[in-house]
Amino acid sequence: MVSISVNLMQSMPWQQTIGVLEMMVKGFVIGVAASAPMGPVGILCVQRSLNKGRWFGFATGVGAAVSDILYAIFTGYGLSIVSDFLENPTYSLWIKMAGSVMMLIFGIYTFHSRPKSRKERVVRTKSSFVNNVVSGFFVTLSNPLIILLFLALFGQMSFIVPNMVVPQIFGFLFILVGALFWWFVLTKLVDKLHRRFDERGVWKINRIIGVVVIVASIGALITSFFGLSLF
């Protein structure tokens, strides 16, 4: 009876289920973290929400989210090639610490950044809605430095899991979900508080995000140094 119970427990996919849930959470956090800093596409999203309406701004965010997931997959594929390197505990520790340092630098940069607005003519048509998606995609795609951000996030959160295809697929899917969630929330806030969203307002958002990233990076760096893990 004992051996039968053990065999049944070993055959149950509970470990796979836990892996999927964990990767979904990690993917969601990465998606939000990668989208939150207010760079050019963030300014564009806010301006279009103010000038054209919330859903035109959200369409811009959709385009940015699609570009982000492409860069995320590209980054993940590159890391999966060196899976043996990632599985080494010592190398994994150094990768986490390097990711924390990169996130710290990124947080400081975000805190001090003050992106400029992009002026455009206001047009409200169905084709304009599609154009917003396309332009959001290409504005984000034109910034390959996002790869460095994904490298930092993947390294710190141990996102790449060799030989676990299903959890990894769900992880990447929820990067997209997290990014879309961010743009949905942002455009909702702009719609509700539109009078307060000017260039100074966006600058304040960047400072708040920068502080959060800096604090989280320092915490992650300390826990990684002592062999602990936040994720």
Side-chain angles (χ1 to χ4, degrees):
M1 289 292 293
V2 174
S3 62
I4 293 175
S5 299
V6 172
N7 290 333
L8 286 173
M9 291 180 64
Q10 290 177 343
S11 64
M12 290 176 65
W14 65 273
Q15 290 182 322
Q16 182 82 339
T17 303
I18 293 175
V20 168
L21 293 175
E22 181 181 347
M23 294 302 291
M24 287 166 61
V25 173
K26 288 182 177 181
F28 183 85
V29 172
I30 290 172
V32 173
S35 302
M38 299 291 287
V41 73
I43 294 292
L44 201 57
C45 177
V46 170
Q47 287 185 332
R48 287 175 174 173
S49 297
L50 294 172
N51 297 332
K52 301 180 180 181
R54 177 191 175 189
W55 295 113
F56 285 92
F58 180 69
T60 305
V62 170
V66 173
S67 178
D68 282 343
I69 192 62
L70 291 179
Y71 272 128
I73 293 173
F74 176 79
T75 306
Y77 176 75
L79 289 175
S80 66
I81 295 176
V82 291
S83 60
D84 292 338
F85 180 85
L86 295 175
E87 290 177 329
N88 185 294
T90 302
Y91 295 150
S92 178
L93 173 62
W94 282 107
I95 290 174
K96 283 189 174 185
M97 294 188 66
S100 299
V101 172
M102 290 174 65
M103 287 302 299
L104 177 61
I105 295 172
F106 180 77
I108 295 172
Y109 171 80
T110 302
F111 181 84
H112 290 288
S113 66
R114 194 164 190 166
K116 297 181 180 179
S117 62
R118 298 166 60 105
K119 301 295 183 182
E120 61 179 0
R121 187 167 57 92
V122 176
V123 180
R124 293 182 178 87
T125 64
K126 290 184 179 180
S127 61
S128 175
F129 189 86
V130 175
N131 290 340
N132 287 348
V133 176
V134 174
S135 60
F137 173 83
F138 281 107
V139 168
T140 306
L141 193 69
S142 65
N143 181 25
L145 292 178
I146 190 69
I147 292 177
L148 296 178
L149 178 56
F150 279 122
L151 280 172
L153 290 168
F154 287 0
Q156 175 54 43
M157 301 186 71
S158 301
F159 182 75
I160 302 302
V161 184
N163 304 319
M164 295 190 71
V165 178
V166 174
Q168 199 72 78
I169 291 175
F170 275 92
F172 281 112
L173 175 62
F174 270 75
I175 290 178
L176 179 61
V177 172
L180 293 175
F181 173 80
W182 166 257
W183 296 117
F184 182 86
V185 171
L186 178 63
T187 52
K188 181 69 173 179
L189 289 174
V190 173
D191 187 53
K192 294 295 183 182
L193 305 172
H194 60 278
R195 293 182 180 179
R196 301 182 183 181
F197 272 90
D198 52 14
E199 288 187 30
R200 182 171 178 80
V202 172
W203 175 66
K204 288 181 179 179
I205 292 177
N206 262 5
R207 291 179 75 86
I208 294 172
I209 294 172
V211 170
V212 172
V213 172
I214 290 171
V215 172
S217 300
I218 293 175
L221 188 62
I222 293 173
T223 54
S224 296
F225 180 80
F226 288 102
L228 303 175
S229 178
L230 294 175
F231 305 98

